[in-house]
Amino acid sequence: MPLWQRLVIVAVVMLITTVVARLIDRRIARHDLAPEAMTRYRIVRRSVTATILFVALLSALLVIPQVRAVAGGLLASSAVLGIVVGFASQRTLGNFVAGLLIAFTQPVRLGDEVVIEGTGGVVEEIGLIYTFVRIENGDRLVIPNEKLASDTIRNSTIRSREKVAEISIQVPLGRDVGAVVDRLSRLTPDAEVFVGDLTGTATVVVRARVEDEPAAEKLERELRRRAPELLRAEGVYA
């Protein structure tokens, strides 16, 4: 096969790989994926794309006779070359492997609020070598993946999905606040009802734990509707 045909084939492979990666990115962007799925996808996609492009570029170089001759000489001293390359790329390969570990174990994900060495920010991008964290003033922390995978990180986003539904009700101090607390306790099972403040009026707080954010919002709407009705029936509100 002539040299120009081999080069064309390699170029086409590289072009198709790049175009397919971009098309998949655009298609994924249309869907509201969970942070863990998006983080894993981006790391894996970049790893596969980088590998294909590297192999294609290496293949393109090896079909050139001059380059092949140089490569043969290098392979003859592969032991020395391997040691040199190993030392030179040790940190880079470590960061790459750490990036893959972050993608699958996910101590941090895209969009997570984290604190690293006393500095807080939001994980903006997880690359093959570095992770970018946007801090409050708009600056970016550029952190090697190896450091991110080995250091202690406070992640304020990864927590239990359980949420708290909470409403506050103002009760005149002339009313029987204890009776109000007792009656509001019947609004929902396992509700925590207590007096939060006594400035001007008694602020009675109704709090209940639910499984997730949508359930918390639904319960809060229900409590806001039912609580005034209950208190009017008890004569607390006119």
Side-chain angles (χ1 to χ4, degrees):
M1 182 183 295
L3 173 62
W4 69 268
Q5 289 185 1
R6 297 184 181 184
L7 293 176
V8 168
I9 292 174
V10 172
V12 169
V13 170
M14 296 175 69
L15 178 63
I16 291 176
T17 302
T18 304
V19 170
V20 170
R22 293 293 179 89
L23 291 176
I24 293 176
D25 277 350
R26 291 182 180 179
R27 186 173 182 84
I28 291 293
R30 299 175 185 174
H31 301 280
D32 187 17
L33 293 180
E36 57 270 20
M38 181 59 74
T39 301
R40 189 177 296 115
Y41 160 73
R42 286 194 180 183
I43 294 293
V44 172
R45 195 271 293 167
R46 285 173 181 170
S47 301
V48 172
T49 302
T51 301
I52 293 176
L53 293 178
F54 175 76
V55 172
L57 180 61
L58 185 63
S59 301
L61 293 175
L62 288 178
V63 298
I64 302 174
Q66 294 83 352
V67 175
R68 190 184 306 158
V70 173
L74 291 176
L75 289 175
S77 57
S78 58
V80 176
L81 179 64
I83 294 175
V84 173
V85 172
F87 278 110
S89 61
Q90 167 178 321
R91 299 300 296 272
T92 301
L93 291 176
N95 286 320
F96 175 74
V97 173
L100 294 178
L101 290 175
I102 290 172
F104 287 96
T105 60
Q106 298 195 341
V108 296
R109 305 166 303 179
L110 295 175
D112 281 1
E113 297 180 5
V114 298
V115 176
I116 302 171
E117 295 185 346
T119 303
V122 177
V123 178
E124 190 173 55
E125 192 65 43
I126 301 177
L128 295 178
I129 307 299
Y130 298 102
T131 291
F132 298 84
V133 176
R134 185 181 71 253
I135 59 180
E136 291 183 358
N137 64 2
D139 291 347
R140 267 67 174 175
L141 290 178
V142 183
I143 307 167
N145 288 337
E146 191 175 21
K147 178 177 178 61
L148 196 67
S150 59
D151 282 4
T152 300
I153 305 166
R154 177 181 174 185
N155 192 320
S156 301
T157 303
I158 299 178
R159 57 177 68 177
S160 171
R161 293 187 57 186
E162 188 178 71
K163 298 295 181 181
V164 175
E166 179 178 303
I167 65 169
S168 298
I169 302 168
Q170 304 301 320
V171 179
L173 292 177
R175 301 292 181 177
D176 186 349
V177 178
V180 171
V181 170
D182 180 63
R183 284 161 177 74
L184 290 177
S185 300
R186 305 172 190 171
L187 282 174
T188 183
D190 301 322
E192 180 185 6
V193 183
F194 58 92
V195 179
D197 190 18
L198 291 173
T199 305
T201 58
T203 301
V204 180
V205 179
V206 181
R207 181 182 295 166
R209 294 189 176 275
V210 291
E211 61 272 15
D212 53 28
E213 187 69 31
E217 294 177 357
K218 180 179 179 181
L219 181 57
E220 286 177 355
R221 291 194 296 267
E222 182 69 13
L223 291 175
R224 292 190 189 100
R225 181 184 66 82
R226 293 173 53 199
E229 294 176 354
L230 176 62
L231 295 180
R232 287 193 186 95
E234 296 293 334
V236 176
Y237 292 151

